Amino acid sequence: MFGVRKNVRNIFKPRLSIHQSSPPSLTSRTVSSKPLKSQLKVSGSLADKLADTGVWLARKQKAKTGKSKIKADKNRVNIVSERLCDDIFSYVGSSLDRHKGCDILDIYPGAGLWSRKLHDYLQPRSHILMEPDAELYEPFLKPLLDRPNTTLIPASGILWRELNSVLTPEYLPHQTVPDATEPQKRNDTLLVTANIAFHPKKRFLNFGSLAGLVLYQFIDAIRTSSLFQRYGLVRMLIWARHDDITSLVPKVMQKRRKQAVDTDLMCEWVREVCGREGLETVWHVRDANINASSNLATWKRMQAAGMKMPKGRYSEDLKAARLAARSGKVIVPGSKPAFFKKPYYDVLHQLEAEHEEQNFDKESDSFREMRIQRWKATSEENKNQRIFNFVADLDAINALYKSGQASPEEIERLEAEWTAKIQASPGGLIAEFATSKDNLHLYRQDPPVLNWDRRAYDPMTVQPDEFFPNIHCSLLDIQPKAVHPLLRQTGPNSNRAGDCFELIKGSLLSHSTLPLSQTLDALMPGAADYIIPRWKSIRDIDHGGVLVKSRNAELTPRMLNARQWEELLELWMEWPFRPEFHELVARTLDEAPEEGNSLTPDI
């Protein structure tokens, strides 16, 4: 028996670090490099003044010019475009109206342009600015500091001991801590804004990005009612690098990892107000038909809400969605073979256009290159057609299940035939089919699982020169929601349900493509036997479930929606033979976590 248990553990190797009820304090131990000269172009008077401080000059240049002996973090990115700030308030300002007259906690305000614009719009009763580089930025902040009830604190808001020293009646006399036994409620009288955009990225210990760690802990504070979330469910407006927000707002299923699941469980919404246009990577893509459908649905939501995109801020995708809406186009993902926008299509189109004009010689390099790219495109089309056929057959079987018009024997026969076709395919094709199927599964749910596909509006596009240094940044709007009561059960004076969930979730997501029955039994033998038969939503096709019993169609951890995760925790806590918390820790920590996995949002 013990040999079997050990073997199961070695096969699946579930890994996840232990949840800590209070976020660890950050220190100054970071690793970074200098901004490139090409990213220090000045655009506008504020950027000119920042550049004139000499902080962003190289050491030799400082010595020559005699500029700036002020010690400050040259990796900080500042918002320097007044137009960008004005466009934000004209676009989404109405959603902020409920915070007028509130208290603002402003972390890393920097040069203060965003802080001043936010202050002008909300007219807060108090505005606390936590700025660790106060010596550098105080002259920039002086116009704001001259206003009543505005306070500059020379401290870092991302060092928790310093942040907690401000979360007191001395600085926030109007805020009260609600009774912990009462349900969580939204607190519109406090608004937190922060600028944690750094360029180049700052590393912290095993974390690839300090900003990613801060975002992770801001989200986790919702569940534990720690930091400023002790005052209720507090909305956050966070500036960050465009590539630091992917873990919170993934645009494809492949990037939906631990932190994205957390935001689904703990946030009413996570919206990208503005940011860089396009995908972060060409490695993780999904069917362009899904993207077009998502863009069209977003455009219709914007029209219904009366939202107007500011001039010059339209993305190409939103322009295409607007045209599709005007023409009455209907886009149904899964109704035709998928199409993936890959770089070689652009190369092929360019070569074909040149061939049309020049008529390449058949022995030329250009002609040979065009033939290679055509072969790639044809191969891709054939593969996508086969995947589409698999998906169509699966949809047909599901339709028979729902109709009740087919006998169990007939359905079983069809499932067996379908599985045989899948298994007879090359391994690479099977993996790509699973990815396409799972992306479609998440999108078809009502509402779609990804926060991105539920967005109320499309992000405004930004330009690098609207920031100094010149790097694309995004503004996130995060509205917390009441968390499932079991998720809040953390620490020694509780039933540890929330702590167990962290271990369960991490273990399952580390094997996100395996069937749930396998991953649960790998976590603890017998878990699947109790949980799977009682887990109703995983067989409810209208709420993210799957009816087909084939291994190639079973639900996997990456396909679960937020409610299914909550139901899993409920059933785990009902299981009479569930392991104690310390036993679960022992099983999930049999092997040391891989570098970068401890407490990281990307597990």
Side-chain angles (χ1 to χ4, degrees), residues 8-9 11-18 258 499-516 518-524 557-558 565 568 572 584-585 587-590 597 603:
V8 170
R9 282 193 300 233
I11 291 172
F12 295 103
K13 299 179 183 177
R15 292 185 296 268
L16 184 70
S17 60
I18 305 173
K258 182 176 179 290
D499 297 322
C500 289
F501 182 73
E502 287 296 292
L503 299 173
I504 296 167
K505 178 179 56 179
S507 176
L508 267 58
L509 288 176
S510 64
H511 312 290
S512 62
T513 60
L514 294 178
L516 285 167
Q518 285 184 256
T519 54
L520 283 171
D521 268 341
L523 178 64
M524 182 59 65
R558 69 181 183 179
W565 280 108
L568 171 58
W572 181 273
L584 192 57
V585 169
R587 286 197 62 83
T588 55
L589 297 184
D590 273 346
N597 276 5
I603 291 177

Side-chain angles (χ1 to χ4, degrees), residues 23-27 158 160 196 202-220 244 247 259 598-601:
S25 294
L26 304 180
T27 69
I158 62 172
W160 303 147
I196 52 174
K202 283 193 170 188
R203 295 189 63 195
F204 176 77
L205 300 178
N206 288 339
F207 289 85
S209 169
L210 174 65
L213 171 60
V214 173
L215 283 169
Y216 166 72
Q217 295 184 323
F218 278 175
I219 295 297
D220 194 62
D244 277 329
S247 59
Q259 194 170 13
S598 178
L599 278 175
T600 61

